[in-house]
Amino acid sequence: MAKVRQKTERRERVLECALKIFAEKGFQDATISEISKAAQVSDATVYEYFKTKEELLFSIPEQITESSIRESEKVLPFLRGAEQKLRALVQSYVTTYERNPEYTALIMLHLKTSRNFLQTKAYEVVQVAARMMLACIREGIETRTFRKDTDPYLVRAMILGTIEHLFTRKHLMGNPPELMSQVDPLVDLILDGIRAKGLPAGTPSPPCCWMMTAPAAEEKKKS
Amino acid sequence: MAKVRQKTERRERVLECALKIFAEKGFQDATISEISKAAQVSDATVYEYFKTKEELLFSIPEQITESSIRESEKVLPFLRGAEQKLRALVQSYVTTYERNPEYTALIMLHLKTSRNFLQTKAYEVVQVAARMMLACIREGIETRTFRKDTDPYLVRAMILGTIEHLFTRKHLMGNPPELMSQVDPLVDLILDGIRAKGLPAGTPSPPCCWMMTAPAAEEKKKS
Amino acid sequence: MAKVRQKTERRERVLECALKIFAEKGFQDATISEISKAAQVSDATVYEYFKTKEELLFSIPEQITESSIRESEKVLPFLRGAEQKLRALVQSYVTTYERNPEYTALIMLHLKTSRNFLQTKAYEVVQVAARMMLACIREGIETRTFRKDTDPYLVRAMILGTIEHLFTRKHLMGNPPELMSQVDPLVDLILDGIRAKGLPAGTPSPPCCWMMTAPAAEEKKKS
Amino acid sequence: MAKVRQKTERRERVLECALKIFAEKGFQDATISEISKAAQVSDATVYEYFKTKEELLFSIPEQITESSIRESEKVLPFLRGAEQKLRALVQSYVTTYERNPEYTALIMLHLKTSRNFLQTKAYEVVQVAARMMLACIREGIETRTFRKDTDPYLVRAMILGTIEHLFTRKHLMGNPPELMSQVDPLVDLILDGIRAKGLPAGTPSPPCCWMMTAPAAEEKKKS
DNA sequence: AATGAATGAGGGTTCATTCAT
DNA sequence: TATGAATGAACCCTCATTCAT
């Protein structure tokens, strides 16, 4: 039925506009009127789709995060070795964020802040991704690729923290302009720090570009 | 005169309460009434001291950040070598944050978010600290302590990002419970990654405790 | 045709649910959605049957009141004497109210309040009943059963007011639990007060139970 | 201080206007804006005085009811005999209501309806008045003035119900125009119905006018 | 200097009602 | 005929900010 299609389209338009506006002004400074006007629907219509303003906010990450995770899960099994996997995961993060700058700003600046967000479905998905990375690091330790005394939590915190820091900087100050080129230096530096000493230090795992084909949010909808 | 003294005391009481409440509920969800009540002054009095709510917010970091910086500047010249200095700086950050958890929460969750904060006097101080770290890394490169191809911006981003990530986690989820013990592993890992290969890898710079005496916000007031 | 039948059924289901919900929450606090959901139809369907929310409200009393009146009109001619008739009328009121508690609550708490209700078809029916009682009292005066100086309006106000008061109390506070047993004491007390003094005071008209067979709203629908 | 005086005046102006408007349009159809405009204050000021719209509503009856009760309590001890007391009480009710028609409308049409009102301080005062009447009737029974089989609850319900019915009618339909003249007929009729038969029926207790001096709400404020 | 009091401006949310399908 | 969907129009309430005392 055409109605259903239209409703879905409107709902997504609302989500898109909400993303843009929340990302730009923050949750509190954005108004429903503003969003509804941008989405060319009435205030009341927004409330047809989302019970409250906060539910609207928390509904934004759902699709995008989930699709991004699914992608990683598909690719990971084909990669050999903890180093390759770790690099792939980092690249996946950065790719997703680079392709969805507004979404990234929302996450970095506004959602991470919110205690309520931690109890969200969307946050669970984030946790899944974080756990994948943890598993990857642990695998490296078990297979003796990484040093025995590596603290996997610290390593993960370093990777995630660095990515977060860089994207936040980029969003607020426009610098650095792109982050893809930072993936390999970052991963190399970390690997150098945690690689078991017995291994030939001069064998860096090759930079990989397979993630280039990972789907961005916009492309997803068409399929 | 006693009056002046009293006014200063009141002003500081307002700042303290504002810090507590802003840190707990965020800028938007905190109200002036709430803060003024906690500080046992009237709403109007708050506006005697600070022109707007935002000015109150931005007035909070001033003293604390500045005092922390001054401390570092005093100690740094006595330390030999980039590695020692870097370690000292990281420890300084962590110490300051650990001693002022509410202030840290405010910075991590709410101020970093705000574009207006970037044009603040308080933010300039933050930048000074960040530049000190950058200078320190560059010194390491120039003195061949660190690899020539080290990207100082990336290294700094890693350090700051990791610290931010860990404190944010701690504040929101209570885990990890303390961060002082993470300083050395973090610095070691970074150093391992950027140390020039010619050097004997087995010579970690000694963990240092000199920063233990750095002033916390609370002690500051008494002096 | 089955369709017509179905439509009538739906309409009545809406009326029933509206009665229940209006009685429970009041006109303003009840929503059309709520009613339509309870009646298992859509909001729009309610508006097919009733032009506005208020029209829905005012449509509720129609059948029930009318049927109750008709009953009284049938029985009254068979009764001899103003006293008997008065008693019968009172019993009729109480019976109707006891059998339709939700309807009663609606009338007592919400409809009596509304000025618009006074211009309703349904209210006319109420007036008819009230006028029957008035006529009855007047008949008693004319036939010298009641004192010459009896104010028929006052007497009616006493009877109706007492009934209203008792039912309101019952609805709001659950006390007294039933009102049928109050009919005779009430009527006796009134009659004692208005009976012409010449008559033997010790000849109370006999309590009557014929009204027991008066139809309740539920039974009406089946016929 | 002048400020305090002014605030009190404003508060009372708000209460008065709220009374008028609530009485006229009902709780739900009245808006805060309307009331604040009538009272020449801002919406926000209304909320300075009363936390919610409902609290405003429930604050209206307080003074007026209480002052009315106090009056009755003063006078009652000077009256001899249950009949006189009962008559006095009825007169007190009617006087209060006649002098405060808007307040009466509010009570009759809107407050009696509300379940929340039953848990109000103001309602407790109403209960006190009702209990005084009950006590009075019981006293009459114990002193053999009234018949042994008199149901005091029924008698009270008759009195209160009649008064309520008459005032409601008056408010909605403008008829009867005044109720003071109904007091004696009402009381006489009731008394005739409950007076113990042994007594000389021809000795009605004298109508009394002492209540004429009872204070109305308006006069109260000046004292 | 300190504050009690007042308010303008605005935002989230609800719901009766309409209309195209 | 029945309804899913959309919305205009309000309203309650909050709060940063001002000002007279």
Side-chain angles (χ1 to χ4, degrees):
Chain A
M1 206 173 169
K3 276 239 182 128
V4 171
R5 182 104 205 112
Q6 222 210 4
K7 183 173 178 183
T8 309
E9 267 167 33
R10 279 164 166 259
R11 209 190 107 106
E12 299 216 336
R13 225 164 53 224
V14 171
L15 276 173
E16 273 168 47
C17 295
L19 166 55
K20 249 174 231 166
I21 293 172
F22 280 145
E24 188 194 326
K25 325 180 85 169
F27 178 67
Q28 306 264 14
D29 290 337
T31 70
I32 293 288
S33 298
E34 207 177 352
I35 293 168
S36 69
K37 199 170 294 171
Q40 288 166 305
V41 300
S42 72
D43 283 32
T45 299
V46 174
Y47 281 91
E48 281 284 305
Y49 301 144
F50 309 95
K51 260 205 285 288
T52 66
K53 192 185 178 190
E54 203 180 40
E55 189 181 308
L56 170 58
L57 172 66
F58 291 158
S59 300
I60 293 174
E62 268 166 22
Q63 334 145 29
I64 188 168
T65 315
E66 207 150 348
S67 76
S68 168
I69 296 287
R70 259 199 305 278
E71 213 47 41
S72 299
E73 279 171 340
K74 268 186 231 157
V75 178
L76 234 47
F78 294 94
L79 299 177
R80 298 288 155 228
E83 297 203 357
Q84 263 196 53
K85 280 183 185 166
L86 201 59
R87 191 179 302 271
L89 277 174
V90 173
Q91 182 142 353
S92 166
Y93 268 95
V94 172
T95 304
T96 301
Y97 288 153
E98 285 271 46
R99 294 202 179 171
N100 306 281
E102 281 149 352
Y103 165 75
T104 305
L106 187 64
I107 291 278
M108 299 296 170
L109 300 182
H110 304 294
L111 285 178
K112 261 185 11 186
T113 285
S114 158
R115 269 206 174 79
N116 286 346
F117 177 61
L118 299 186
Q119 286 146 8
T120 294
K121 179 90 196 306
Y123 179 67
E124 275 180 40
V125 183
V126 172
Q127 277 184 305
V128 169
R131 273 197 282 265
M132 281 173 60
M133 185 171 287
L134 198 62
C136 186
I137 300 166
R138 281 183 171 138
E139 183 194 321
I141 298 171
E142 279 160 24
T143 59
R144 314 268 165 131
T145 311
F146 301 153
R147 291 158 56 167
K148 236 198 275 190
D149 62 344
T150 305
D151 177 349
Y153 289 102
L154 177 61
V155 172
R156 182 178 67 176
M158 289 178 69
I159 294 172
L160 295 181
T162 305
I163 293 175
E164 286 157 18
H165 183 94
L166 288 172
F167 272 106
T168 302
R169 249 189 103 83
K170 178 186 169 190
H171 181 75
L172 287 179
M173 314 163 48
N175 195 16
E178 61 80 44
L179 297 185
M180 280 306 296
S181 66
Q182 306 272 29
V183 171
D184 282 324
L186 166 62
V187 175
D188 288 340
L189 207 158
I190 298 267
L191 290 180
D192 264 12
I194 64 177
R195 199 154 16 218
K197 297 299 154 184
L199 291 189
T203 318
S205 57
C208 56
C209 309
W210 55 266
M211 253 307 183
M212 285 306 184
T213 58
E218 279 72 24
E219 296 171 359
K220 203 68 222 295
K221 279 178 303 185
K222 292 167 201 154
S223 63
Chain B
M1 204 174 167
K3 277 228 178 145
V4 172
R5 182 105 203 113
Q6 220 209 8
K7 179 172 175 182
T8 309
E9 265 168 33
R10 283 167 161 255
R11 209 190 107 104
E12 299 220 333
R13 225 166 48 226
V14 172
L15 276 173
E16 270 169 51
C17 295
L19 166 56
K20 246 176 232 165
I21 293 173
F22 281 146
E24 187 194 327
K25 326 178 83 170
F27 177 68
Q28 306 265 12
D29 290 338
T31 68
I32 294 288
S33 301
E34 206 178 354
I35 293 167
S36 68
K37 195 173 297 171
Q40 287 166 305
V41 300
S42 72
D43 285 30
T45 300
V46 174
Y47 281 88
E48 286 287 314
Y49 302 143
F50 309 95
K51 254 208 287 291
T52 67
K53 192 187 178 189
E54 203 178 41
E55 189 180 309
L56 169 59
L57 172 67
F58 291 156
S59 301
I60 294 174
E62 270 166 20
Q63 334 145 31
I64 186 167
T65 315
E66 208 150 349
S67 76
S68 170
I69 297 288
R70 259 198 307 277
E71 213 48 41
S72 299
E73 279 172 336
K74 270 186 230 155
V75 178
L76 234 47
F78 295 94
L79 297 178
R80 297 289 154 226
E83 297 202 358
Q84 262 197 54
K85 281 182 184 166
L86 200 60
R87 191 178 303 271
L89 278 173
V90 172
Q91 183 139 355
S92 165
Y93 268 94
V94 173
T95 304
T96 301
Y97 287 154
E98 286 270 46
R99 293 203 179 169
N100 305 282
E102 281 148 351
Y103 164 74
T104 306
L106 187 64
I107 291 278
M108 299 296 172
L109 300 182
H110 304 294
L111 284 178
K112 259 185 13 187
T113 284
S114 159
R115 268 205 175 80
N116 287 345
F117 177 60
L118 300 186
Q119 286 144 8
T120 292
K121 178 91 195 304
Y123 180 68
E124 275 178 40
V125 183
V126 172
Q127 276 184 306
V128 169
R131 273 197 281 265
M132 282 174 60
M133 184 170 288
L134 197 62
C136 185
I137 299 166
R138 280 181 171 140
E139 183 194 323
I141 297 171
E142 279 159 22
T143 60
R144 314 266 165 136
T145 312
F146 301 153
R147 290 158 56 166
K148 234 199 271 187
D149 61 346
T150 304
D151 176 351
Y153 289 101
L154 177 62
V155 173
R156 181 179 68 178
M158 288 178 69
I159 293 172
L160 295 181
T162 305
I163 293 176
E164 286 157 17
H165 183 95
L166 287 172
F167 272 107
T168 303
R169 249 188 103 84
K170 178 185 169 189
H171 181 75
L172 286 178
M173 313 162 51
N175 198 11
E178 60 81 43
L179 296 187
M180 281 306 296
S181 65
Q182 304 273 29
V183 170
D184 284 324
L186 165 62
V187 175
D188 288 340
L189 207 158
I190 298 268
L191 290 180
D192 263 12
I194 65 177
R195 197 149 24 213
K197 296 300 156 183
L199 292 187
T203 318
S205 57
C208 57
C209 311
W210 55 266
M211 253 309 182
M212 285 308 183
T213 58
E218 279 71 24
E219 296 171 357
K220 201 68 223 293
K221 280 176 302 182
K222 292 165 201 156
S223 62
Chain C
M1 204 173 169
K3 278 226 177 148
V4 172
R5 184 102 205 113
Q6 221 210 4
K7 177 172 177 182
T8 310
E9 267 168 32
R10 280 165 165 256
R11 211 190 106 104
E12 299 219 333
R13 224 163 51 223
V14 172
L15 276 172
E16 272 169 49
C17 294
L19 165 56
K20 244 175 235 166
I21 293 173
F22 281 145
E24 188 194 327
K25 327 179 82 169
F27 178 68
Q28 306 266 11
D29 291 337
T31 68
I32 293 286
S33 302
E34 205 177 353
I35 294 168
S36 68
K37 196 172 295 172
Q40 288 165 303
V41 299
S42 73
D43 284 29
T45 300
V46 174
Y47 281 88
E48 286 288 314
Y49 301 142
F50 309 95
K51 253 208 288 291
T52 67
K53 191 187 178 189
E54 204 179 41
E55 189 181 308
L56 169 59
L57 172 67
F58 291 156
S59 300
I60 293 173
E62 271 166 19
Q63 334 143 33
I64 188 167
T65 315
E66 207 151 349
S67 77
S68 170
I69 297 288
R70 258 199 307 278
E71 213 47 42
S72 298
E73 279 171 338
K74 270 186 230 158
V75 178
L76 234 47
F78 295 95
L79 297 177
R80 297 290 155 225
E83 296 204 358
Q84 263 196 54
K85 281 182 186 168
L86 201 59
R87 192 179 303 271
L89 278 174
V90 173
Q91 183 139 356
S92 164
Y93 268 94
V94 172
T95 305
T96 300
Y97 288 153
E98 286 271 45
R99 294 202 179 170
N100 304 283
E102 280 150 352
Y103 165 75
T104 306
L106 188 63
I107 291 278
M108 300 296 173
L109 300 182
H110 304 294
L111 285 178
K112 260 184 14 186
T113 284
S114 159
R115 268 206 174 81
N116 288 343
F117 177 59
L118 300 186
Q119 286 144 8
T120 294
K121 179 91 197 304
Y123 180 68
E124 277 180 38
V125 183
V126 172
Q127 277 185 304
V128 169
R131 272 197 282 264
M132 281 174 59
M133 185 171 287
L134 197 62
C136 185
I137 299 166
R138 280 184 171 137
E139 183 194 321
I141 297 171
E142 278 159 24
T143 60
R144 315 267 166 134
T145 311
F146 300 153
R147 290 159 57 168
K148 235 200 278 193
D149 62 345
T150 305
D151 177 350
Y153 290 101
L154 178 61
V155 173
R156 182 179 66 175
M158 289 177 70
I159 295 172
L160 295 181
T162 307
I163 293 175
E164 287 157 16
H165 184 94
L166 287 171
F167 272 107
T168 303
R169 249 190 102 84
K170 179 185 169 189
H171 181 74
L172 286 179
M173 314 162 50
N175 197 11
E178 60 82 41
L179 296 186
M180 281 306 296
S181 67
Q182 305 273 27
V183 171
D184 283 324
L186 166 62
V187 175
D188 289 341
L189 208 158
I190 297 269
L191 289 180
D192 264 11
I194 65 177
R195 199 153 18 218
K197 296 299 156 186
L199 291 187
T203 317
S205 57
C208 57
C209 310
W210 56 266
M211 251 311 182
M212 284 307 183
T213 57
E218 278 72 24
E219 296 171 359
K220 201 68 225 293
K221 280 177 301 182
K222 293 167 201 153
S223 62
Chain D
M1 206 172 171
K3 275 237 182 132
V4 172
R5 182 104 205 111
Q6 221 209 6
K7 182 173 178 182
T8 310
E9 266 168 33
R10 280 164 167 259
R11 210 191 108 105
E12 299 217 334
R13 225 163 53 224
V14 171
L15 275 173
E16 273 168 47
C17 294
L19 166 55
K20 247 175 232 167
I21 292 172
F22 280 146
E24 187 194 327
K25 326 179 82 168
F27 177 68
Q28 306 264 13
D29 290 337
T31 69
I32 293 287
S33 297
E34 206 177 352
I35 293 168
S36 68
K37 200 170 294 170
Q40 287 165 305
V41 299
S42 73
D43 284 31
T45 300
V46 174
Y47 282 92
E48 281 284 303
Y49 300 145
F50 309 95
K51 259 203 286 287
T52 66
K53 193 187 177 190
E54 203 180 40
E55 189 181 309
L56 170 58
L57 172 67
F58 291 157
S59 299
I60 293 174
E62 268 165 21
Q63 333 144 31
I64 187 168
T65 314
E66 207 149 349
S67 77
S68 169
I69 296 287
R70 259 198 306 276
E71 214 46 43
S72 299
E73 279 171 339
K74 269 186 230 156
V75 177
L76 233 47
F78 294 94
L79 299 178
R80 298 287 158 230
E83 297 203 358
Q84 263 195 56
K85 281 183 185 166
L86 201 58
R87 191 178 303 271
L89 277 174
V90 173
Q91 183 141 352
S92 164
Y93 267 95
V94 172
T95 303
T96 300
Y97 287 153
E98 286 270 46
R99 295 201 178 171
N100 305 282
E102 280 148 350
Y103 165 74
T104 307
L106 187 64
I107 291 277
M108 300 295 172
L109 300 182
H110 303 294
L111 285 178
K112 261 185 11 187
T113 285
S114 158
R115 268 206 174 81
N116 286 345
F117 177 60
L118 299 185
Q119 286 146 8
T120 293
K121 179 90 197 303
Y123 179 68
E124 274 180 42
V125 182
V126 172
Q127 276 183 305
V128 169
R131 272 197 282 265
M132 281 174 59
M133 185 172 287
L134 197 62
C136 185
I137 299 166
R138 281 183 170 139
E139 183 193 321
I141 297 171
E142 278 161 23
T143 60
R144 313 264 167 139
T145 311
F146 301 152
R147 292 159 54 167
K148 233 199 275 190
D149 62 346
T150 304
D151 177 351
Y153 290 102
L154 178 60
V155 173
R156 183 179 66 176
M158 288 178 70
I159 293 172
L160 295 181
T162 306
I163 293 176
E164 286 157 16
H165 184 95
L166 287 172
F167 272 106
T168 303
R169 249 189 103 84
K170 178 185 169 190
H171 181 75
L172 286 179
M173 312 162 50
N175 197 14
E178 61 81 43
L179 296 186
M180 281 305 297
S181 65
Q182 305 273 29
V183 170
D184 282 325
L186 166 62
V187 174
D188 288 340
L189 207 159
I190 298 267
L191 289 180
D192 264 11
I194 64 177
R195 198 150 23 214
K197 295 300 154 187
L199 291 186
T203 317
S205 58
C208 56
C209 311
W210 55 267
M211 253 308 181
M212 286 306 184
T213 58
E218 279 73 24
E219 297 170 358
K220 202 68 225 293
K221 278 175 302 182
K222 293 165 200 155
S223 61

